Amino acid sequence: MNTALVVGANGVIGTNLINHLQSLGTWNIIGLSRRGGTNSKALSYISVDLLDKDDCIAKLGALSGITHIFYTAYQDRPTWAELVAPNLAMLFNVLNAIEPVANLQHVSLMQGYKVYGAHYGQFKTPAKESDDQLISTEFNLEQQYFLEKRQIGKDWSWSAIRPSVVGGTATGNPMNLAMAIAVYASLSKELGIPLRFPGKPGAYDKLLEMTDAGLLAQATVWAATSPQCANQAFNISNGDLFRWNDLWPKIAAYFDMPAAFPLQLSLTQVMADKEAVYEAMQDRYGLEKYPYRELSSWTFADSVFSWDYDFLGDGSKARRFGFHEFVDTEKMFFRLFDEMRIKRIIP
């Protein structure tokens, strides 16, 4: 059996990756996070501060059985430039602890469309893995450059996985758009307000794509275990496109709400005082006591809803290399909303 080290185990990506590895039945799994987790058969957790190199050596230096590192950790900072140092340091500390003691076969790096400059504004679409690099410093690319240099002359390989906006149901994850929409809709309904699209007017009719967290997990393991994928980057998305002006009324219908005319709002501001409303909903509907501030990041939702330009990548490279799975994005949203109801996150 291979042994996977999942770095960032409690995030929406790491959680689904662990679930997929468990379903395969051929992996031992060790999850890393500051919060730790509950151990079970073939799955154990280690609580570690990835920014502390001594803590990493102390807690990871004996993990000689690791064959694959799946790196999904992320540290947020106020500016794009400030993201580089901590996120590069965490990857460096993990590899420095594991590489000398393990028979390492592969390092999988989770990236995103920031490598194409999507966070700055309108970018070339559909974005391709071969597109020109940015002049600005970007932490995803700095991590990849580090792996490229570190891998020279080594027996292990790397892959870089580039999803679009990821859809999942894990709580405590700041970049969870489906969760933000579900909580926003549930609060609006509780207050007797129709569901308004809160983004920029120009964002309502642009083309977007998303990446289902389960599909992303499949693609990540595929790339990490397929010889033809060694030292390659791949865009991974659901395989279809959508516009908010078509999908938003359907989301409103799912929640049995009318859809009002779009109005640009800052969710960061208008949702800041809704914690008491959500806590009252938890009591009224018997919801789990998830902390309101840990459900999602309204700042991230504001960012996504501000994209008044097409946001999509070319996914043909992954298909050419052998990955052919896809997900219907509309069905993904409704399935995730169903899961949130089952988990008693929303009524």
Side-chain angles (χ1 to χ4, degrees):
M1 293 179 70
N2 290 320
T3 298
L5 184 71
V6 180
V7 187
N10 289 329
V12 64
I13 294 175
T15 299
N16 281 273
L17 181 56
I18 287 174
N19 290 340
H20 178 59
L21 289 168
Q22 285 183 303
S23 73
L24 297 175
T26 56
W27 291 82
N28 292 312
I29 309 161
I30 300 174
L32 299 188
S33 77
R34 297 195 69 169
R35 288 183 288 162
T38 303
N39 296 340
S40 60
K41 183 179 179 181
L43 170 62
S44 59
Y45 287 90
I46 298 175
S47 176
V48 59
D49 182 356
L50 298 179
L51 287 173
D52 186 334
K53 63 179 180 180
D54 294 329
D55 196 37
C56 288
I57 292 293
K59 295 179 178 177
L60 310 181
L63 300 180
S64 58
I66 300 298
T67 58
H68 293 71
I69 296 174
F70 294 95
Y71 190 88
T72 73
Y74 171 75
Q75 275 273 337
D76 198 15
R77 290 293 186 272
T79 67
W80 301 123
E82 290 177 275
L83 288 171
V84 176
N87 284 287
L88 186 58
M90 291 191 299
L91 176 60
F92 179 88
N93 290 339
V94 169
L95 202 55
N96 262 12
I98 297 298
E99 189 182 20
V101 301
N103 182 25
L104 190 61
Q105 298 178 24
H106 192 84
V107 179
S108 173
L109 177 64
M110 191 60 59
Q111 295 184 323
Y113 286 6
K114 288 185 180 68
V115 299
Y116 305 122
H119 52 310
Y120 289 121
Q122 186 171 0
F123 63 106
K124 172 185 166 293
T125 55
K128 295 187 177 183
E129 296 87 346
S130 58
D131 285 349
D132 295 331
Q133 302 301 320
L134 305 176
I135 190 172
S136 64
T137 304
E138 203 287 307
F139 81 90
N140 285 289
L141 288 174
E142 293 300 319
Q143 289 175 325
Q144 182 177 325
Y145 298 153
F146 164 69
L147 287 181
E148 290 175 344
K149 294 177 181 178
R150 185 81 172 233
Q151 188 271 336
I152 295 174
K154 306 293 179 61
D155 292 331
W156 55 269
S157 60
W158 60 269
S159 59
I161 308 300
R162 300 173 178 176
S164 184
V165 181
V166 177
T169 61
T171 58
N173 180 72
M175 295 184 289
N176 193 337
L177 182 67
M179 184 78 73
I181 292 174
V183 175
Y184 170 56
S186 298
L187 285 168
S188 296
K189 185 174 183 178
E190 185 71 7
L191 295 170
I193 300 169
L195 189 62
R196 293 183 182 275
F197 177 75
K200 285 185 177 180
Y204 202 46
D205 63 352
K206 296 302 182 290
L207 284 171
L208 290 91
E209 64 182 0
M210 288 193 64
T211 305
D212 176 72
L215 177 79
L216 180 59
Q218 295 179 54
T220 302
V221 175
W222 161 79
T225 56
S226 301
Q228 73 273 20
C229 297
N231 307 326
Q232 298 287 332
F234 296 97
N235 293 335
I236 300 295
S237 64
N238 288 349
D240 61 358
L241 302 173
F242 72 95
R243 303 180 197 271
W244 289 119
N245 60 7
D246 179 59
L247 181 58
W248 199 259
K250 298 175 184 178
I251 292 175
Y254 173 91
F255 287 98
D256 194 24
M257 301 171 64
F261 194 81
L263 175 66
Q264 185 174 356
L265 300 168
S266 167
L267 294 179
T268 304
Q269 295 179 15
V270 301
M271 304 304 287
D273 63 349
K274 301 300 186 294
E275 184 171 1
V277 180
Y278 181 72
E279 290 177 347
M281 290 171 59
Q282 290 177 319
D283 293 333
R284 174 182 290 188
Y285 302 109
L287 305 181
E288 295 290 337
K289 296 295 184 177
Y290 295 105
Y292 177 73
R293 297 183 183 277
E294 293 184 8
L295 291 180
S296 188
S297 166
W298 300 115
T299 302
F300 174 70
D302 282 336
S303 175
V304 174
F305 292 139
S306 73
W307 295 340
D308 52 359
Y309 46 88
D310 292 344
F311 192 96
L312 57 120
D314 182 340
S316 64
K317 180 179 178 181
R319 292 193 293 273
R320 292 195 303 272
F321 276 66
F323 186 75
H324 303 292
E325 301 299 318
F326 64 91
V327 168
D328 182 294
T329 297
E330 287 188 14
K331 293 180 180 179
M332 178 201 75
F333 269 110
F334 303 142
R335 171 173 51 81
L336 294 177
F337 296 154
D338 287 344
E339 290 178 11
M340 291 177 208
R341 284 176 164 169
I342 291 172
K343 293 180 178 181
R344 309 303 298 158
I345 300 171
I346 59 174

